[in-house]
Amino acid sequence: MSAVRIQLFILLLSALAILGCSANSANIYPLPKAYLHHDQLHSRLQEISQKAPALAQLHLLGFSATEELPIYALQIGKAQAQRKILIIGQHHGDEVLGVELSVALAEELMQKHESDRQWMQIMDEFRFFIVPTINPEGWKRVCDGEYQFKRKNNRDTNNNGRLDIRSDGVDLNRNYPVFWADQVPVPTTHANYKGERPASETEVQAIMELAEKHSFELAIFYHSSSTGLFSEKIFLPNRIQGDEEQKRRLDDLRDFANDYASRVKKDYQKGYYQVGEGNSSRVGNARNFFFHTYQTDAFLVELGGINSAGISVVHPNAKMKDKIVSKNLAALKQVLAQRAKGK
Ligand SMILES: [Zn+2]
């Protein structure tokens, strides 16, 4: 080959390599088979709970607002474990990584409660309530390949008698009765439409009932940032200025969240997860509801990183999905083992 041809050949090879890399780190939709599908959730949770019925109970918390789809919680804990932790894997239908993580957590607890020293310590103290999704309507449409970024539930918010999949629905993480008056009204088509009134959605009511029944010490809500604006960050509740007791609680919570964040490497970039600084949204948020109503240590974790092309990958391939789940579970285990020793 001539020198020019060799150069062209090398150029072609490197172009292929770059294409290959970005294909490996791109969003994949419809979702790969390795992702849990909505019609598998109930049997998977049943299977998990039946491994040790004395340790795990599957609960039906309620039904979704429009299609009356069931919302499940798996309670896992020893009789003596009195401190309670809530894990919610999904509020937004397209944010599927948290569903994967929460089901994997349930599996890990069941598998390792007698064999792993740290999980044993954790489970001597803590009882887990794991809710893989509170948005079965949105998740179903995403799983079925209908719309990749179906965020809200399926409420017919423009009242035209049918589902407009791209615009209908209430943002379930804006519907909790907290800081409700803060938001300037947005159209019902908006991604963050908070609903007609506080807790108008049965999905949110189901979680409120759970919160009322159990005094949760800690609640973690998993999300994914499809815009990439919040990727790989942890968000704390808002603080009411001048409330010193709240400031102290938040300082402690920030330390705990920092510990978690500093243990999770970013998916594609250098560095680790971080705790978000400054103001984040607070209207109707789960973390604010739990923190301000029940004094629960509550925060939100955004799963899914930014690839080398600057794209937020919230539907990664199976291999990256598993990596994200396992590194977050490892971090969770470490911080909970620490926490189990305290208080
Ligand atoms: Zn979200």
Side-chain angles (χ1 to χ4, degrees), residues 92 95 151 223-224:
H92 297 132
E95 301 175 13
R151 172 183 172 88
H223 284 254
S224 294

Side-chain angles (χ1 to χ4, degrees), residues 188-255:
T188 59
T189 51
H190 195 282
N192 297 129
Y193 175 61
K194 65 181 179 178
E196 262 187 7
R197 57 182 189 282
S200 58
E201 305 310 290
T202 53
E203 295 91 337
V204 165
Q205 291 165 21
I207 298 306
M208 288 168 63
E209 266 177 48
L210 190 71
E212 188 62 39
K213 213 182 283 176
H214 303 282
S215 175
F216 288 106
E217 175 181 322
L218 174 68
I220 303 179
F221 309 103
Y222 286 96
H223 284 254
S224 294
S225 174
S226 52
T227 60
L229 291 173
F230 313 108
S231 304
E232 300 181 312
K233 286 204 168 75
I234 293 180
F235 290 95
L236 303 177
N238 272 243
R239 180 164 82 87
I240 294 167
Q241 292 302 322
D243 187 329
E244 287 309 307
E245 165 63 10
Q246 221 172 64
K247 183 179 179 308
R248 189 195 56 72
R249 279 176 56 215
L250 263 181
D251 286 345
D252 287 350
L253 181 54
R254 185 172 292 105
D255 288 345

Side-chain angles (χ1 to χ4, degrees), residues 40-58:
Q40 299 168 325
L41 180 65
H42 181 251
S43 57
R44 178 70 69 85
L45 295 179
Q46 249 183 342
E47 215 176 276
I48 295 171
S49 66
Q50 282 162 2
K51 280 179 194 160
L55 201 66
Q57 296 90 42
L58 182 56

Side-chain angles (χ1 to χ4, degrees), residues 16-33:
L16 281 175
I18 288 167
L19 275 176
C21 280
S22 59
N24 278 335
S25 63
N27 282 298
I28 301 176
Y29 197 76
L31 295 172
K33 288 258 183 297

Side-chain angles (χ1 to χ4, degrees), residues 72-93:
Y72 297 109
L74 201 54
Q75 181 183 337
I76 302 179
K78 301 177 191 172
Q80 77 266 26
Q82 293 303 316
R83 297 162 70 186
K84 293 175 182 170
I85 298 177
L86 173 66
I87 304 285
I88 298 186
Q90 182 186 59
H91 277 74
H92 297 132

Side-chain angles (χ1 to χ4, degrees), residues 10 15 35 89 98 128 132 161 185 198 219 234 300 314 319:
I10 290 169
Y35 281 81
F128 290 80
I234 293 180
L300 176 158
V314 293
K319 200 173 153 197

